[in-house]
Amino acid sequence: MYPFDIVRPASVAAAAAALASSGGRALAGGQSLVGAMKLRLAQPGTLVDLSGIPGLTGIRRDGDAIVIGAMTRHAEVAASAEVGRAIPALAALAGGIGDRQVRNMGTLGGALANNDPAACWPAAVLGLDATVVTNTRRIAAADYFRGMYETALAADELIVAVSFPIPDQAAYVKFANPASRFALVGVFVARTAGGVRVAVTGAASAVFRAGSVEDALSRNWTAAAAQGATVDAAGLNGDLHASPEYRAHLIPVLAARAVASAR
Amino acid sequence: MAGPSAVAVTLTVNGKPVTAEVDPRTLLVDLLRGPLVLTGTHVGCDTGQCGACTVHLDGRAVKSCTLLALQADGADVLTIEGLADADGTLHPMQAAFKECHGLQCGFCTPGMVLSAIDLVRCHPGADEATIREQLDGNLCRCTGYRNIVKAVQLGATAMTCQGTGGSAAGTHVPIRAGQGA
């Protein structure tokens, strides 16, 4: 690990100021960042530790939405009775991230700021048309994810919470890489007031909506309809784990499984 | 080891207050194994995969190789050395691993035991399939998981009988003041 300075601000404003002045990186749970720093894939000159900032954790219902603080751990979302009642798909997704130890440290905000192309949370944010709330603005899911590890966040902008609209039904099914537990492909399906949404992670450089599956499910919300859709392999990831064609094949298959288990 | 930008961390380790000046890069596992000489916490893969470095941070299992020591500032840390009673009586999960021979070389065992206790806290009545799934943050490279899973099942029963298992999510396993450092 390369040397770095540590800053431990006590407020979001102080953290943003520290990021602006130092050009450093924010540290949430560190389950991606610390590993990347150990491998020297990341080498921030300054780390801005967010753990001492009050008010960034917690889960609450706000009208027709569930609002989750950015520093809330995956394990806390998974165990939340409030989330389990309102959006069980969200609790299940959080409970399937990484492993027990990662879920005990990793945070919602950290995962979204990192935007790993195979991370689970982006699928829920895009699938539910959630709003990413930062210290300066509210960002719609469609505007937030820009590409591989790339988001709409400015260098000194911090996620403070995410607001997930409560859907009629939703589910997330992940085809996990057996070694890393990251999504080889993960599909989040949701029936919402605004229509059917199908978000896919792990299959491309960033999370995206599967239009053909959404069309099929809009006409007929059944597993068979999802399974009957086809997804173009062009632009999808190919690596030693799976070809683009295999990932394209998995998307309707997993969407069908998700529809079958949606609640 | 402390460089010009050393930071102070204050934490509780196995019930004892610890203050240390560390280079910000210091991993929690290196603080434990180095200055604190708590070498029961192992470094296996050093990449956050294998779980041999698992400790409890405020009652939750975490991987101490993927945690900066400064992230444990103000926290209660429990390592395998702090798990048994002061008189040497093993924690029920330790006793279960011994009883079921849930180990071969033993390198993964401290992490397995601490992870298993957290597992039982979250899933008090876990069946075999749930235990296998929920123990996926810990790898054994000797022989397999059959006896490990049996040990977790026995340990879960013993913990529940002793009231250390927790019957609801959010119940903490008590951090015991123990031996070591």
Side-chain angles (χ1 to χ4, degrees):
Chain A
M1 206 182 297
Y2 290 107
F4 59 88
D5 291 321
I6 184 78
V7 182
R8 298 155 112 176
S11 70
V12 171
L19 286 170
S21 63
S22 69
R25 292 275 299 268
L27 174 67
Q31 295 304 281
S32 295
L33 182 55
V34 172
M37 289 170 66
K38 287 173 69 177
L39 294 168
R40 296 186 170 182
L41 294 170
Q43 40 189 294
T46 300
L47 269 192
V48 179
D49 178 10
L50 307 180
S51 66
I53 302 176
L56 291 181
T57 60
I59 297 164
R60 64 186 168 86
R61 180 154 180 167
D62 181 17
D64 292 333
I66 291 287
V67 180
I68 305 177
M71 286 290 283
T72 307
R73 318 277 178 192
H74 310 317
E76 292 167 336
V77 179
S80 162
E82 188 82 79
V83 175
R85 273 193 301 272
I87 318 179
L90 217 51
L93 176 146
I97 294 173
D99 54 43
R100 152 173 321 287
Q101 295 94 322
V102 167
R103 292 192 291 274
N104 281 337
M105 275 307 290
T107 68
L108 167 63
L112 290 178
N114 190 47
N115 193 22
D116 189 296
C120 296
W121 276 120
V125 169
L126 190 62
L128 291 171
D129 198 13
T131 300
V132 179
V133 183
T134 77
N135 55 326
T136 58
R137 57 183 169 148
R138 298 172 66 87
I139 308 174
D143 301 325
Y144 178 80
F145 302 103
R146 293 284 175 82
M148 186 179 283
Y149 295 109
E150 190 184 349
T151 71
L153 293 174
D156 59 348
E157 190 172 11
L158 285 166
I159 302 172
V160 295
V162 180
S163 177
F164 294 93
I166 298 171
D168 299 332
Q169 278 188 309
Y172 175 68
V173 174
K174 169 168 71 168
F175 194 98
N177 177 316
S180 74
R181 315 307 290 169
F182 270 99
L184 198 67
V185 176
V187 177
F188 195 100
V189 301
R191 255 175 116 171
T192 75
V196 171
R197 299 176 68 94
V198 176
V200 180
T201 189
S205 58
V207 67
F208 66 94
R209 290 173 67 182
S212 62
V213 186
E214 288 185 352
D215 291 345
L217 286 173
S218 297
R219 288 190 295 271
N220 185 9
W221 176 262
T222 61
Q227 182 103 45
T230 55
V231 173
D232 190 351
L236 298 190
N237 296 339
D239 52 35
L240 77 167
H241 304 296
S243 65
E245 291 73 22
Y246 187 67
R247 283 185 164 89
H249 171 75
L250 272 181
I251 292 168
V253 170
L254 299 182
R257 291 179 192 172
V259 169
S261 66
R263 60 192 177 95
Chain B
M1 67 184 285
S5 59
V7 290
V9 292
T10 302
L11 60 161
T12 304
V13 180
N14 299 334
K16 295 185 176 181
V18 171
T19 300
E21 292 275 324
V22 298
D23 182 311
R25 290 176 287 181
T26 307
L27 300 168
L28 178 59
V29 70
D30 292 330
L31 174 65
L32 294 172
R33 290 180 53 85
L36 302 184
V37 205
L38 292 168
T39 53
T41 303
H42 294 161
V43 179
C45 67
D46 201 20
T47 54
Q49 314 289 322
C50 78
C53 65
T54 299
V55 300
H56 284 188
L57 186 76
D58 290 332
R60 266 72 170 160
V62 299
K63 291 174 180 168
S64 62
C65 85
T66 309
L67 213 69
L68 299 169
L70 59 90
Q71 289 181 277
D73 192 29
D76 265 322
V77 172
L78 177 72
T79 72
I80 194 70
E81 290 91 343
L83 200 52
D85 286 339
D87 66 1
T89 304
L90 295 180
H91 183 281
M93 190 60 76
Q94 289 175 300
F97 269 71
K98 183 182 174 192
E99 171 69 23
C100 298
H101 196 59
L103 61 138
Q104 187 164 314
C105 83
F107 192 85
C108 71
T109 311
M112 285 283 182
V113 168
L114 288 159
S115 199
I117 293 168
D118 190 38
L119 188 162
V120 174
R121 175 182 64 82
C122 295
H123 305 275
D127 59 13
E128 183 189 334
T130 305
I131 290 171
R132 285 183 181 274
E133 183 187 316
Q134 291 292 324
L135 210 57
D136 68 352
N138 293 75
L139 302 180
C140 165
R141 295 292 80 159
C142 280
T143 180
Y145 298 88
R146 186 179 176 83
N147 284 3
I148 291 171
V149 172
K150 279 168 65 179
V152 176
Q153 287 176 300
L154 180 65
T157 305
M159 283 171 64
T160 306
C161 292
Q162 290 197 3
T164 54
S167 56
T171 306
H172 285 251
V173 172
I175 308 264
R176 302 173 182 202
Q179 318 91 317

